[in-house]
Amino acid sequence: MVKQESESANRPDNTAFTQQRLPAWQPILSAGIVIPGFVLIGLAFIGIGVALLVTSRSIQVLELDYTGDSNGSPCSSCSQSDIANCKCSLNFTLTTLFQGPVFFYYGLSNYFQNYRRYGASKDDNQLYGDLSSFTSPSSSCSPYNYDSSKKPIVPCGSIANSMFNDTFTLTRTVSGTTNNVTLDGKGIAWWTDYNIKYRNPSVTPLKNAFNGTVKPINWAKPAYELDASDRSNNGFVNQDFLVWMRRAALPNFRKLYRRIDASGDYQKGLPAGNYTIDITYNYPVRAFNGAKKIVFSNVSWMGGSNEFLGIAYLVIGSLCVVMSVVMLIVYAKFKFPDEE
């Protein structure tokens, strides 16, 4: 008796939902539905693929390698020396207007930022401004958590220690006169990075928060002096630092360095003419057979130049159309009598 009462208490309500009596519709996938469906999907994918491919190919991209591997390269002398802040220059000519907005990237090849231990080599509490992590960096930063004198490194870890440190200035020569092209470095990092993920300690001046610590081994300046021209662009919210800390997924990548300031003669982009990029060459890449390049690019409604998505849509759309033809042939040859 007790068992029957227990079963009645656990029984679901006698409703259409709990007893699975709701009306349902199940499509009958006949050849008259499937074959036209594949054709329509294929044509739609092909149309989207063509639009994406045409848009991607309309984006202007200029790549300039400055690794300095060959003796004829302008930066060959810098790549073969250990001189800090070695100077070299790249000259290039634009025959037509480079449509704006123009983005200035640096690119690295054969550089595996997606390596697991490399990606884990940082102290999130330290990067969020926790002063206790300044004096006791996380063990995940090892061997870049303390220097040889056992002083804590801030910011610690492999990612921060390997921060890209080449710098660039762009000039344009007009009628024998050289003019600087203004490069805008504001807002090049993700908004969530400099507003949420990374924080400077609430200490004024910022330099005092770093008392008793040392800068990363490969850095020329401490974190609180990364940008002498803008006090708000120092510490862990420095734009270049934030761009570098967001790791790349693939070994060949580019990261945003600056934007061309859209003012004066450059409102529509980079005009045709002769340009020079003055490079302060610091970052070594030859030890791991890497390469460095400068990339100028503009964007469209779909972002930067990337033909993969358009090609993928074309391939899938073509396969759908081909499969619809195959199914039509099979259906015409082997259709059942009751479908005639």
Side-chain angles (χ1 to χ4, degrees), residues 60-79:
Q60 295 172 279
V61 180
L62 174 64
E63 296 187 355
L64 303 169
D65 188 285
Y66 74 99
T67 310
D69 283 335
S70 60
N71 291 329
S73 172
C75 295
S76 60
S77 58
C78 291
S79 67

Side-chain angles (χ1 to χ4, degrees), residues 250-284:
L250 301 174
N252 301 330
F253 60 86
R254 66 186 189 187
K255 290 179 180 284
L256 184 59
Y257 180 72
R258 296 290 184 270
R259 298 186 188 89
I260 305 300
D261 187 17
S263 60
D265 296 335
Y266 307 100
Q267 290 183 355
K268 296 182 179 180
L270 289 176
N274 298 318
Y275 293 85
T276 300
I277 304 173
D278 295 316
I279 303 167
T280 303
Y281 196 110
N282 286 308
Y283 205 74

